[in-house]
Amino acid sequence: MWAVAVLGFAIMALVHIAPAPFLLDALAGDMAVWHMPRGSPPTVYLTFDDGPNPATTPDLLDVLWREQVPATFFLIDAHVTGDTAPIVRRMFEEGHAIGLHTSSRRAMTFSAEELVEALDALADRIESAAGTRPCRAFRPHAGWRGGEMYAGLRKGGYRLVGWGWMLWDWNWFRRRTADAIVKRVSAHIAPGDIVVMHDGDESAPDQDQRQTVQAAMRLIPALKARGMAFGTVCENEGLVMRQ
């Protein structure tokens, strides 16, 4: 009896926090994006969360510009300020895409209407700061999601964007390092995969995330050598949101 209860609890937990598509995402259909279409040339999708961060994001943008690689940045509302607005404008000017992110798991408790209101307010804030509106792609904090969240995304015309299995920079309760990121991503990445790294921190907006810059410097040439091209998750009009 206890084993059944524990199994049921584990399944319910995974529904909401699995770091990969699971039951809720299957039910959500095309509202959930965890992988981009495979095509030619084989393309991968670098995404960066929790910015903009003045200590890290400009250096990361330098790497992407030097390599002529586009990426997608999922920005936190509180981190989009007058001081960081030039960074956001630079993202758009250099061909990157911007999506929406949350700084806590509290978004799981929002009603559908509250979620739409919060996402629209963040999109307005980004547009006001940079002169360009983000695409209608949303990534919840740590991937925590729920049925009401999906109802809100459908209501507001957004989609939830996840990432590929093991294609993240979370280092299992240890400090993130460039070595660990490069090793994990290199071992698991394939065409159409979405990678998630962090150029910011939800609780420390100015804390340098140097490991992400160093990992990008090493990963991009290595993936190019394997014949990979790079894209943004907002570029496929049939998959990610129309404006």
Side-chain angles (χ1 to χ4, degrees), residues 16-19 34 101 108 139-145 149 160 163:
H16 298 286
I17 68 174
W34 292 83
H101 195 35
M108 282 186 65
R139 175 174 285 159
H141 181 73
W144 283 37
R145 54 208 185 271
M149 179 179 286
L160 185 147
W163 52 82

Side-chain angles (χ1 to χ4, degrees), residues 40-201:
S40 181
T43 302
V44 295
Y45 299 83
L46 302 181
T47 70
F48 299 95
D49 285 6
D50 290 356
N53 176 0
T56 303
T57 310
D59 291 341
L60 177 59
L61 289 170
D62 287 345
V63 173
L64 297 172
W65 177 256
R66 185 166 60 248
E67 295 287 350
Q68 289 296 285
V69 164
T72 308
F73 290 85
F74 286 89
L75 305 187
I76 289 177
D77 192 345
H79 296 183
V80 180
T81 66
D83 290 338
T84 62
I87 300 174
V88 182
R89 287 196 294 271
R90 181 182 172 189
M91 291 173 181
F92 283 120
E93 290 167 357
E94 295 183 356
H96 303 296
I98 292 180
L100 310 179
H101 195 35
T102 49
S103 59
S104 76
R105 296 168 176 84
R106 194 169 65 87
M108 282 186 65
T109 68
F110 289 176
S111 68
E113 292 75 17
E114 288 171 332
L115 181 68
V116 174
E117 182 178 350
L119 295 182
D120 286 348
L122 174 51
D124 290 344
R125 187 181 183 90
I126 291 170
E127 184 175 24
S128 177
T132 305
R133 199 161 184 83
C135 75
R136 304 183 74 85
F138 167 65
R139 175 174 285 159
H141 181 73
W144 283 37
R145 54 208 185 271
E148 191 69 8
M149 179 179 286
Y150 270 122
L153 296 178
R154 188 174 298 280
K155 181 180 181 68
Y158 293 91
R159 286 184 185 170
L160 185 147
V161 176
W163 52 82
W165 176 250
M166 292 296 287
L167 299 179
W168 54 69
D169 59 359
W170 184 53
N171 205 23
W172 308 104
F173 306 107
R174 299 189 299 275
R175 183 174 62 88
R176 293 184 177 113
T177 67
D179 285 345
I181 297 167
V182 171
K183 181 178 179 180
R184 183 181 299 124
V185 173
S186 297
H188 295 279
I189 199 164
D193 278 341
I194 301 171
V195 180
V196 58
M197 295 183 278
H198 290 75
D199 61 322
D201 185 293

